[in-house]
């Protein structure tokens, strides 16, 4: 039996815009296994980022439930979900979201500070990850001193720093060229495969979606197609 990491049950999200109700997600049901690379694929406005927000606990669904492991995150209070994310979840953002006054090393080590690691251990682990992503020479550089591709490598190192069970990646290479996109995606996949970590990737780019074990295609808040790697090859 497969080891389910994320279970999405009957998730519906409705936004009130003025006097109108807009259905962004219409009763989504699916499961994502531990160690699976799952892509939520769709055009702008399809509901993919909204779905990511429900799965990661950034928003609560109007109806339905989301489990990560054996925890129903939909039932957690705000401070509980924040603590849960710090312990179990990593994020990679399209806009990098690095703190400008911190070096690459300090940005990467930040999640470990929230977990109570001492400075020496934090910096040791952060330095090891930055070497893995090819930034050994850039550890003490600030974001303004790095290219977009280098900043995204820091973002990846930071996301993996605390060994989270799940990584959420929202258009992680949207600001990068084709060659750098391939390097970044291969790097993410390699790290996740080694540690059997689950990645939920949101994108509109078929090149990025091709890296996934399974692609869930969304249109108008509904999963209209599910495609596994073996079906695409």
């Amino acid at each position: 039996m497969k080891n389910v990491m994320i279970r999405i049950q009957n998730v519906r999200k409705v936004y009130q815009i003025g006097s109108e109700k807009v259905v962004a997600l219409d009763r989504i049901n699916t499961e994502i296994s531990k160690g699976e690379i799952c892509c939520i694929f769709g055009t702008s406005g399809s509901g993919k980022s909204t779905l990511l927000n429900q799965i990661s606990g950034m928003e609560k669904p109007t109806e339905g439930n989301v489990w990560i492991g054996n925890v129903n995150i939909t039932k957690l209070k705000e401070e509980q979900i924040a603590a849960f994310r710090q312990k179990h979840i990593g994020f990679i953002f399209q806009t990098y979201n690095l703190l400008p006054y911190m070096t690459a090393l300090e940005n990467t080590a930040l999640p470990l500070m929230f977990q109570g690691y001492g400075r020496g251990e934090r910096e040791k682990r952060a330095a090891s990850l930055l070497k893995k992503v090819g930034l050994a020479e850039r550890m003490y550089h600030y974001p303004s001193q790095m290219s977009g591709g280098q900043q995204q490598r820091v973002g990846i190192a930071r996301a993996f720093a605390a060994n989270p069970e799940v990584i959420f990646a929202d258009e992680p290479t949207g600001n990068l060229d084709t060659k750098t996109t391939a390097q970044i995606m291969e790097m993410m996949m390699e790290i996740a495969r080694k540690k059997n970590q689950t990645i939920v990737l949101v994108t509109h780019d078929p090149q990025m979606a091709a890296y996934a074990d399974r692609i869930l295609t969304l249109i108008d808040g509904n999963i209209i197609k599910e495609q596994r790697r073996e079906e695409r090859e």
Side-chain angles (χ1 to χ4, degrees):
M1 184 178 174
K2 66 180 178 179
N3 189 351
V4 175
M5 175 53 73
I6 299 170
R7 185 152 49 101
I8 304 160
Q9 182 186 64
N10 213 29
V11 165
R12 192 166 190 262
K13 185 66 179 179
V14 181
Y15 293 105
Q16 186 82 38
I17 301 175
S19 59
E20 189 182 354
K21 286 186 176 178
V22 177
V23 179
L25 296 173
D26 193 11
R27 306 202 184 284
I28 302 288
N29 288 279
T30 193
E31 294 178 346
I32 300 170
S33 302
K34 181 171 177 59
E36 183 178 7
I37 313 296
C38 182
C39 174
I40 301 170
F41 181 77
T43 57
S44 178
S46 61
K48 61 186 187 298
S49 291
T50 303
L51 181 55
L52 182 78
N53 287 343
Q54 315 308 304
I55 304 173
S56 62
M58 302 295 277
E59 291 182 11
K60 286 192 183 293
T62 307
E63 296 175 41
N65 295 281
V66 175
W67 279 265
I68 296 180
N70 59 1
V71 177
N72 185 344
I73 65 167
T74 317
K75 304 297 184 189
L76 299 181
K77 294 177 181 175
E78 198 56 46
E79 62 272 17
Q80 291 174 317
I81 190 65
F84 182 88
R85 281 198 297 263
Q86 285 175 4
K87 192 171 182 183
H88 300 282
I89 293 173
F91 287 93
I92 302 170
F93 303 95
Q94 179 178 349
T95 51
Y96 320 137
N97 281 24
L98 302 180
L99 295 174
Y101 52 86
M102 285 188 169
T103 63
L105 187 69
E106 290 166 335
N107 266 291
T108 303
L110 195 58
L112 298 168
M113 185 172 72
F114 295 124
Q115 293 200 2
Y117 286 90
R119 183 175 175 180
E121 180 63 20
R122 290 200 308 266
E123 293 191 350
K124 181 181 174 183
R125 288 179 66 166
S128 173
L129 271 165
L130 288 170
K131 285 174 186 171
K132 275 184 188 173
V133 300
L135 291 178
E137 308 299 318
R138 298 276 178 172
M139 287 190 198
Y140 300 102
H141 287 216
Y142 292 92
S144 61
Q145 298 170 310
M146 292 184 282
S147 68
Q150 288 166 344
Q151 288 184 65
Q152 191 58 296
R153 288 167 192 255
V154 177
I156 290 169
R158 177 184 58 190
F160 283 96
N163 288 327
E165 290 148 282
V166 183
I167 303 280
F168 291 106
D170 191 2
E171 298 281 8
T173 62
N175 292 326
L176 306 175
D177 60 56
T178 304
K179 182 182 175 184
T180 309
T181 290
Q183 290 173 344
I184 293 292
M185 291 303 297
E186 283 163 17
M187 198 178 300
M188 283 170 52
M189 301 303 120
E190 183 185 354
I191 297 172
R193 298 281 189 214
K194 279 183 181 173
K195 299 191 174 184
N196 198 30
Q197 290 163 303
T198 304
I199 291 184
V200 179
L201 168 70
V202 168
T203 188
H204 68 280
D205 181 355
Q207 179 194 356
M208 284 175 60
Y211 286 90
D213 299 320
R214 186 164 54 117
I215 301 171
L216 304 176
T217 301
L218 255 66
I219 291 180
D220 296 332
N222 292 280
I223 296 174
I224 59 122
K225 186 164 72 171
E226 180 176 328
Q227 202 175 26
R228 297 185 181 276
R229 182 183 292 279
E230 55 268 26
E231 297 167 350
R232 308 194 308 264
E233 291 175 348

